[in-house]
Amino acid sequence: MYLSRDIPKITTHVLQEMKLKGEKIAMLTAYDYSMAKILDESGIDVILVGDSASNVMAGHKTTLPITLNEMIYHASSVMRAVKRSLVVVDMPFGTYQGNSKEALQSAIRIMKESGANAVKLEGGAEIVESVERILSAGIPILGHLGLTPQSINKFGTYVVRAREEREAEKLRSDAQLLQEAGCFGIVLEKIPAALAAEVTASLRIPTIGIGAGSGVDGQVLVLHDMLGINQQFSPRFLRRYHNLYEEIRGAVGSYINDVKTLDFPNEREQY
Ligand code: KIV
């Protein structure tokens, strides 16, 4: 049914083909071996080892505290599970904004120590020198524009970005810049659907949206949000495919009850 279904390994070139053929790209986050294995075996095209691990795995309020070593730990765990999906790793805050030499060193560490397929960086013109230097080492880059959570202290809120024409114009120009630099795709986060569709139509490389409507080349969600593990986060763009929070509570509640009532373990569950 899907063109990409029979492809044994998703590469950046496959994503390009998918854009050309009009097949949407499905991307989800994963941060550990077990979840990554399920995602890969389910046929997800791209796994993002997002710095959202800072929120959903470590419990921080923002994505800023997560370190390069922690991202490499998550990425290595994911890589041990994945056979088919393309794995992209977020470069954490502070590892690429300073200077391009440091950016390249950080990207090389991610690629060498985790075995991932690509990295993702947030921003446009401000970070283009780092983008070019990383690309020159043969490391594929996924850009990220619109709401860029690593800049939360500059924005002040997580509201929709680029509603104003000046910001929309910068986003259009940043998207072109990232494409010309050689990025294989761009994540567009929380921007008006019409702008996302316009930018998508203007680019040769695929766009992957989150809160950016349907006129993009693919979609990404945070796994814990779409599975309903995380109950506090309910933005309009989020579709919940499950209520794992309730499921897990139910299962844990049954286990507690079984232990306390001596129902578990029974005769067949012991040696
Ligand atoms: O870190 C992350 O999960 C992300 C996605 C929201 C795109 O960057």
Side-chain angles (χ1 to χ4, degrees):
M1 178 162 107
Y2 309 119
L3 302 170
S4 60
R5 202 75 203 190
D6 300 328
I7 292 172
K9 176 70 192 170
I10 303 290
T11 63
T12 57
H13 301 278
V14 173
L15 301 187
Q16 182 68 61
E17 276 294 295
M18 288 168 77
K19 172 161 180 137
L20 287 174
K21 294 189 170 143
E23 176 176 337
K24 300 286 184 185
I25 298 162
M27 169 160 136
L28 283 172
T29 62
Y31 321 101
D32 68 282
Y33 173 86
S34 302
M35 287 293 189
K37 192 161 162 50
I38 298 173
L39 263 52
D40 188 54
E41 290 174 0
S42 304
I44 198 80
D45 298 312
V46 186
I47 292 179
L48 173 66
V49 184
D51 59 358
S52 48
S54 181
N55 308 100
V56 297
M57 301 301 285
H60 293 298
K61 284 202 162 52
T62 71
T63 58
L64 274 66
I66 200 158
T67 65
L68 187 57
N69 283 343
E70 287 166 343
M71 287 304 295
I72 290 170
Y73 167 79
H74 287 299
S76 311
S77 308
V78 165
M79 285 310 293
R80 274 177 225 121
V82 171
K83 292 196 172 80
R84 178 180 171 277
S85 311
L86 181 87
V87 178
V88 182
V89 182
D90 261 334
M91 292 191 62
F93 175 69
T95 63
Y96 61 94
Q97 294 94 341
N99 68 63
S100 62
K101 190 171 167 207
E102 209 177 306
L104 177 58
Q105 280 165 355
S106 310
I108 287 177
R109 276 203 61 202
I110 291 174
M111 301 299 282
K112 228 186 215 316
E113 296 177 37
S114 75
N117 307 123
V119 294
K120 175 163 81 60
L121 279 68
E122 295 183 4
E126 317 77 21
I127 56 143
V128 77
E129 212 182 297
S130 295
V131 166
E132 282 167 349
R133 195 142 181 188
I134 294 169
L135 286 166
S136 73
I139 300 173
I141 295 182
L142 181 61
H144 184 155
L145 297 173
L147 176 64
T148 47
Q150 291 180 10
S151 303
I152 182 60
N153 291 308
K154 181 172 122 192
F155 296 147
T157 83
Y158 288 102
V159 296
V160 178
R161 305 302 313 174
R163 279 198 195 277
E164 306 289 325
E165 187 46 32
R166 212 156 65 109
E167 199 180 335
E169 197 41 47
K170 171 156 167 46
L171 192 141
R172 288 184 193 100
S173 128
D174 280 344
Q176 292 298 327
L177 202 67
L178 292 176
Q179 171 173 270
E180 295 323 313
C183 289
F184 71 84
I186 303 177
V187 167
L188 296 176
E189 180 163 354
K190 227 171 168 186
I191 62 171
L195 176 63
E198 180 203 322
V199 169
T200 299
S202 76
L203 295 174
R204 297 182 305 276
I205 57 174
T207 58
I208 301 178
I210 173 163
S214 60
V216 286
D217 299 307
Q219 299 291 333
V220 56
L221 286 175
V222 169
L223 185 68
H224 290 61
D225 298 338
M226 63 85 80
L227 289 179
I229 295 175
N230 177 4
Q231 297 246 308
Q232 283 92 45
F233 186 63
S234 286
R236 173 165 159 182
F237 69 76
L238 175 63
R239 185 179 293 182
R240 282 218 173 84
Y241 286 83
H242 209 62
N243 190 345
L244 260 193
Y245 176 86
E246 289 302 336
E247 296 262 340
I248 293 172
R249 276 200 68 153
V252 172
S254 300
Y255 170 73
I256 293 170
N257 192 55
D258 289 353
V259 169
K260 305 245 179 231
T261 59
L262 308 186
D263 181 77
F264 177 80
N266 63 26
E267 294 263 307
R268 283 168 284 111
E269 292 162 330
Q270 55 190 304
Y271 299 99

